[in-house]
Amino acid sequence: MSLGVVLMVGNLTNSSIAQNQNWEKAVQKYGQLEQLSRGLIAIPTDKGGIYVGWRLLARDPDGIAFNLYRNDGNGSVTKLNDHPIKNSTDYLDENAPTGEKLSYTVKPIIQGKEGDACESYEITSQDKHSDSYLSIKLNGNDDFQKVGIADLDGKGGYDFVIKQPDTNIDPWYKYWRPSGGTYTLEAYRHDGKSLWTYDLGWSIERGIWYSPYVVYDLNGDGQAEVAVKTGEGDPRDEEGRVKSGPEYLTILDGMTGQPIDQADWISRQPFYDINPPDPASPLTRGYNHSSRNQLGIAYLDGEHPHLIEERGTYDLIIVRAYRLIEGSLKLVWEWDNRDAPDYYWGQGAHWLHSADVDQDGRDEVILGSAVLDNDGTELWSTGLGHPDACYVGDLDPDRPGLEIYYVIETGQSDGNGMCMVDAKTGQIIWGIDAPTNHVHGKGLCSDIDRVHPGRECYGAESGHGPIDFAIMHNSKGEIIDRDLMGNSPLCVHWDEDNQRELLIGGEIFDYRGEATYTKIEGNVIAIADIFGDWREEIITSVEGEIRIYTSTIPANDRRNCLMQDPIYRIEVAHASMGYESVPTTTYPLPWK
């Protein structure tokens, strides 16, 4: 099955065709893909009418088209399109009757034959609706810190597992404080139904680094599980820190929240062994460094998702890989940088990435400035130290293979505090030639400027204080902008073109353009292609609700669901732990 045709839009250059072919390979890479539904959505627009969008999927054959139907609630069913819809996967129903309960459904047309209807979507129409979002009401009035996005019930839609409240305690002694309560995980179906609540208890302090979790279909049964770090009882010391007690990697059933299996978490003791407590110093480095925990997903064998467990970031790093087989966690390998060359010491980041960087059909684990091969052996390390930002993908489409863009927090007296490296070898392709002290935050790496092929790369030097300077490079390493966008600007596919729009301060706007949407409320928790066509949704935390913003701008083209891109999908999974950044597709979206 070829996806080249369904991804091609407008007049494509040879480079664009190659990108389509690359994307086809990326989408079809893994044997175990989520069986997504059409993800039909209908939203009233601020100008009247109802916007309807649905997914184009990897399993769809070339030339597939669609018919869209509206049921007016009185038994009257109307086909809305005069001709099969084949140039997009959305439609603006400008003549929808107002004040009535409506439902929409879409049917595929394959080789001239109409297929079965997808699950219908019901809506009560209005004259206008100024806020293009959906709301899932929570059981209480808390806000939430993280969200896991996965199909819990196996019906093809994305459901949500949140962690609340939105409170973060950092293990560093200058930031640490006692937890005022416990974290809970709460699961909700995409239709808003509450499924279960799981209290992590007093053994897990209220901070991102104490409480990693990921939500993913680990065993291939079509329903996602929840992997989470847990403990037992109340092992807090007299100050409120948790320095002892059992720790586990626990697997929860996604529909019930009940434990399936657990294994011992990587021990904290080696971190205390290399950083013994000093009564004369306020630094509690052993506690700080042992409290840095992460979880991730990687297809280490090219077919099955493996669970990656990591402890440590700044010096010692220990990693384990597991598979969930017949309800049991099976250890695949363990890696410990005490047995590795010195330049693997302290190369960790604030999140995990995984990608097939050496193009052997199997994922590698990107710890930060160092990469482990799929078998748990060292592949390469730049030796640059701890990065605050790390983006992987085909960032420069003119180079073969993948690249990684880094924003390095560790001071770099010889340059390369912002740099791009070859993902297969770790060789630096380009970097800034000025010293840096503390390039901070998530930076940004995405295609936001049509003038320059590939992804634009942004970083800001803060020097542990006010931002001193900011630089944006193109994919070739040429400086194209020095305007300040803060430490961690966000971006989102929102309008009809293949460039992402910037999302800063609740406003969505084109790079160097005017704001097109100015009403994003709440704390942005995740950005992902959750439903509808290929554009991305913005999940925010508003007191007592999950709010999901979605575009109602007609796209007039179509692309595969971004969640079927392997790098993108895993990065969305990792958004529930660590300091997440916006997900990156393996290859740039084709240009019109």
Side-chain angles (χ1 to χ4, degrees):
M1 179 178 66
S2 171
L3 302 182
V5 173
V6 298
L7 290 172
M8 291 162 57
V9 290
N11 296 317
L12 298 182
T13 64
N14 289 335
S15 175
S16 297
I17 294 172
Q19 289 175 25
N20 284 329
Q21 293 170 346
N22 284 336
W23 196 333
E24 173 190 345
K25 295 175 184 177
V27 169
Q28 296 185 7
K29 176 180 172 183
Y30 298 133
Q32 185 176 315
L33 284 176
E34 294 168 304
Q35 296 301 308
L36 295 178
S37 66
R38 287 290 168 203
L40 187 70
I41 189 74
I43 299 286
T45 74
D46 58 357
K47 296 180 180 179
I50 295 176
Y51 171 88
V52 186
W54 58 94
R55 294 182 182 124
L56 186 70
L57 298 167
R59 65 175 183 260
D60 290 332
D62 294 350
I64 189 173
F66 300 93
N67 285 331
L68 179 64
Y69 294 87
R70 182 186 68 219
N71 188 323
D72 294 344
N74 56 6
S76 175
V77 177
T78 303
K79 188 176 80 167
L80 298 178
N81 51 293
D82 294 328
H83 305 284
I85 302 170
K86 57 184 179 180
N87 293 322
S88 72
T89 52
D90 63 359
Y91 186 91
L92 183 59
D93 185 6
E94 298 179 289
N95 299 314
T98 60
E100 296 185 20
K101 188 173 183 179
L102 310 174
S103 67
Y104 291 86
T105 191
V106 67
K107 297 182 180 181
I109 305 172
I110 300 174
Q111 296 182 345
K113 183 178 179 181
E114 188 178 70
D116 294 334
C118 72
E119 183 179 358
S120 63
Y121 189 91
E122 294 185 353
I123 185 174
T124 300
S125 63
Q126 303 173 25
D127 291 326
K128 291 185 178 180
H129 186 74
S130 58
D131 298 318
S132 57
Y133 67 81
L134 302 179
S135 176
I136 293 177
K137 300 301 180 183
L138 303 181
N139 291 328
N141 292 323
D142 279 331
D143 46 13
F144 61 97
Q145 181 195 69
K146 292 290 182 181
V147 60
I149 302 167
D151 183 1
L152 298 179
D153 61 10
K155 295 184 178 180
Y158 281 121
D159 309 304
F160 310 99
V161 179
I162 64 169
K163 182 177 68 179
Q164 63 177 12
D166 185 13
T167 300
N168 186 50
I169 297 167
D170 192 274
W172 193 35
Y173 77 104
K174 288 188 176 181
Y175 295 152
W176 181 88
R177 64 186 187 278
S179 296
T182 63
Y183 276 139
T184 60
L185 300 182
E186 292 191 357
Y188 295 86
R189 270 179 41 92
H190 59 275
D191 60 5
K193 180 182 178 182
S194 174
L195 296 176
W196 51 263
T197 298
Y198 186 94
D199 195 323
L200 293 181
W202 286 106
S203 61
I204 301 296
E205 297 184 60
R206 273 188 177 175
I208 287 171
W209 303 117
Y210 309 98
S211 58
Y213 76 106
V214 291
V215 188
Y216 206 82
D217 180 10
L218 298 171
N219 58 10
D221 66 355
Q223 296 181 249
E225 291 77 35
V226 181
V228 59
K229 182 178 182 291
T230 62
E232 285 183 4
D234 185 354
R236 291 173 294 171
D237 65 15
E238 65 279 1
E239 293 180 315
R241 290 183 174 91
V242 176
K243 299 179 181 178
S244 63
E247 301 172 285
Y248 304 109
L249 169 59
T250 298
I251 308 299
L252 306 178
D253 183 280
M255 280 297 290
T256 68
Q258 295 299 309
I260 296 172
D261 194 25
Q262 67 181 23
D264 289 338
W265 192 267
I266 298 166
S267 173
R268 58 169 69 87
Q269 189 58 47
F271 295 83
Y272 284 94
D273 292 342
I274 66 170
N275 293 295
D278 181 358
S281 172
L283 284 170
T284 53
R285 185 164 292 168
Y287 167 80
N288 178 14
H289 290 187
S290 69
S291 297
R292 309 283 171 166
N293 301 277
Q294 299 189 56
L295 280 169
I297 303 295
Y299 284 75
L300 298 177
D301 61 0
E303 183 176 359
H304 304 100
H306 290 61
L307 192 57
I308 307 300
E309 173 190 325
E310 180 189 44
R311 188 163 212 158
T313 298
Y314 298 120
D315 46 30
L316 175 61
I317 302 174
I318 303 175
V319 183
R320 288 176 181 167
Y322 290 92
R323 275 198 63 199
L324 183 65
I325 302 175
E326 296 180 351
S328 298
L329 283 167
K330 308 295 185 183
L331 181 66
V332 178
W333 51 253
E334 181 171 339
W335 177 82
D336 186 328
N337 67 351
R338 288 175 295 182
D339 301 323
D342 290 345
Y343 46 83
Y344 282 88
W345 195 259
Q347 304 297 312
H350 287 313
W351 51 84
L352 289 172
H353 294 269
S354 58
D356 179 11
V357 302
D358 57 9
Q359 299 177 306
D360 65 354
R362 299 180 291 268
D363 277 346
E364 282 66 49
V365 179
I366 302 168
L367 302 176
S369 295
V371 174
L372 302 181
D373 209 345
N374 62 282
D375 62 359
T377 59
E378 299 90 22
L379 186 62
W380 57 257
S381 173
T382 65
L384 292 173
H386 161 65
D388 246 16
C390 173
Y391 295 85
V392 60
D394 185 15
L395 308 181
D396 180 354
D398 292 333
R399 292 188 77 260
L402 308 180
E403 296 81 35
I404 301 176
Y405 172 64
Y406 287 115
V407 164
I408 305 293
E409 181 178 10
T410 307
Q412 303 295 311
S413 59
D414 297 328
N416 295 324
M418 307 172 201
C419 64
M420 184 179 288
V421 309
D422 185 287
K424 183 176 182 178
T425 65
Q427 180 180 1
I428 296 175
I429 301 167
W430 57 258
I432 62 171
D433 57 6
T436 56
N437 182 37
H438 184 210
V439 186
H440 184 53
K442 300 172 187 175
L444 186 69
C445 182
S446 195
D447 188 5
I448 61 173
D449 185 2
R450 184 180 294 276
V451 174
H452 302 276
R455 325 290 173 98
E456 286 66 57
C457 306
Y458 170 86
E461 160 70 34
S462 69
H464 293 283
I467 295 176
D468 298 318
F469 64 85
I471 298 176
M472 185 154 67
H473 298 83
N474 63 16
S475 63
K476 308 297 183 186
E478 301 165 332
I479 296 175
I480 58 175
D481 203 341
R482 293 183 180 270
D483 285 350
L484 178 64
M485 296 192 295
N487 287 324
S488 304
L490 300 174
C491 57
V492 59
H493 284 295
W494 188 259
D495 63 20
E496 73 281 4
D497 61 35
N498 65 311
Q499 275 74 48
R500 267 178 164 166
E501 285 63 56
L502 291 168
L503 168 58
I504 301 175
E507 295 187 343
I508 299 173
F509 53 94
D510 284 319
Y511 172 63
R512 297 192 179 282
E514 299 294 325
T516 58
Y517 194 83
T518 61
K519 299 175 183 178
I520 304 296
E521 296 180 343
N523 186 28
V524 177
I525 306 299
I527 293 171
D529 179 12
I530 300 173
F531 46 61
D533 72 357
W534 57 272
R535 270 88 58 85
E536 294 171 298
E537 280 66 52
I538 303 166
I539 298 181
T540 72
S541 172
V542 178
E543 188 175 284
E545 67 176 295
I546 303 171
R547 189 171 291 187
I548 308 171
Y549 288 88
T550 188
S551 177
T552 59
I553 301 171
N556 300 318
D557 68 355
R558 67 185 193 178
R559 311 178 196 277
N560 277 92
C561 173
L562 301 187
M563 292 286 262
Q564 295 191 298
D565 178 293
I567 290 180
Y568 184 97
R569 178 64 187 95
I570 290 175
E571 292 194 356
V572 171
H574 292 181
S576 59
M577 69 96 216
Y579 295 154
E580 84 291 341
S581 55
V582 292
T584 301
T585 54
T586 304
Y587 298 96
L589 271 64
W591 286 32
K592 288 186 178 181

